[in-house]
Amino acid sequence: MTSEEDLVAQLRAQDQRAVTLLYRNYSAALYGVILRIVKQEEVAEDVLQESFVKIWTAFPTYDEQKGRLFTWMLNISRNLAIDKIRSKQYRVGSKTQPMENTVTSHMVSSEGIKPDHIGIQEMTQQLNPDQKVIIDLMYFNGFTQSEVAEELNIPLGTVKTRARMAIKFLSKLIK
């Protein structure tokens, strides 16, 4: 298996084979997060494809000093998924979706693709409950910080502080 540093170096050199490695190593985890947000397999597949295109084209902006490659890719994918569910086309389409096309009817096929396979959700168990609920809502349910504040009925600044502290804690666990 290629180390993350080797993969980053290959991507910086615009080595096309690195994209295949990137996809093989991270697509299942990213797909799981995207699916939890958009709740439709077909839409999740589209967003995953858009994510990898954006990851490839935006890679020159990646700074390994600011965070791990997976975290950077997760943020891109999560943001694209949130953008998708906020789009008018998605909102109109999801209102007219037949019941058999909902994510619950496909749970069996997507059972094998979850972020817990790489241990992220296990790591969040170590957060204090106030931080954990915020991270769960933001990263696994696709809420924005404002939506979290509204949902939990707490100030936006509190959400931002707790999220920042949780991410700092999680980054120490990952290293």
Side-chain angles (χ1 to χ4, degrees):
M1 178 154 168
T2 306
S3 73
E4 186 172 298
E5 293 81 24
D6 292 341
L7 187 57
V8 168
Q10 289 175 332
L11 288 165
R12 290 225 186 276
Q14 296 185 334
D15 183 344
Q16 295 277 335
R17 294 172 299 193
V19 177
T20 302
L21 283 171
L22 194 69
Y23 188 85
R24 191 178 308 137
N25 291 341
Y26 298 105
S27 64
L30 295 176
Y31 177 80
V33 171
I34 292 167
L35 183 61
R36 284 183 178 208
I37 295 169
V38 299
K39 298 182 180 17
Q40 295 175 23
E41 286 186 352
E42 187 175 305
V43 174
E45 290 166 3
D46 289 344
V47 172
L48 181 65
Q49 183 176 352
E50 288 174 37
S51 297
F52 273 94
V53 169
K54 185 163 186 172
I55 288 164
W56 176 251
T57 58
F59 194 78
T61 66
Y62 170 64
D63 181 0
E64 53 268 4
Q65 301 300 317
K66 291 183 179 178
R68 293 179 53 113
L69 178 62
F70 177 74
T71 306
W72 180 75
M73 294 185 336
L74 180 65
N75 283 328
I76 288 173
S77 300
R78 183 182 158 277
N79 290 341
L80 286 172
I82 290 169
D83 289 347
K84 178 61 84 177
I85 63 173
R86 288 182 177 164
S87 72
K88 185 174 182 176
Q89 176 187 359
Y90 176 85
R91 287 193 315 262
V92 170
S94 66
K95 288 179 184 174
T96 60
Q97 181 121 145
M99 284 300 286
E100 60 272 4
N101 289 345
T102 61
V103 74
T104 54
S105 67
H106 298 291
M107 287 298 253
V108 175
S109 64
S110 65
E111 274 305 305
I113 304 173
K114 290 186 173 182
D116 9 314
H117 287 169
I118 59 169
I120 292 175
Q121 285 190 317
E122 292 168 4
M123 287 182 214
T124 63
Q125 299 300 325
Q126 297 179 40
L127 294 171
N128 75 45
D130 290 338
Q131 293 172 340
K132 183 180 182 322
V133 71
I134 288 171
I135 295 300
D136 286 348
L137 288 171
M138 287 174 52
Y139 287 95
F140 300 116
N141 295 325
F143 283 46
T144 64
Q145 289 179 334
S146 299
E147 291 167 340
V148 170
E150 188 177 308
E151 177 76 17
L152 299 177
N153 198 24
I154 58 176
L156 178 60
T158 302
V159 171
K160 290 180 178 188
T161 300
R162 289 179 184 168
R164 189 175 332 103
M165 297 301 289
I167 290 169
K168 272 185 174 180
F169 178 78
L170 291 171
S171 70
K172 287 178 186 173
L173 290 178
I174 292 171
K175 292 182 181 179

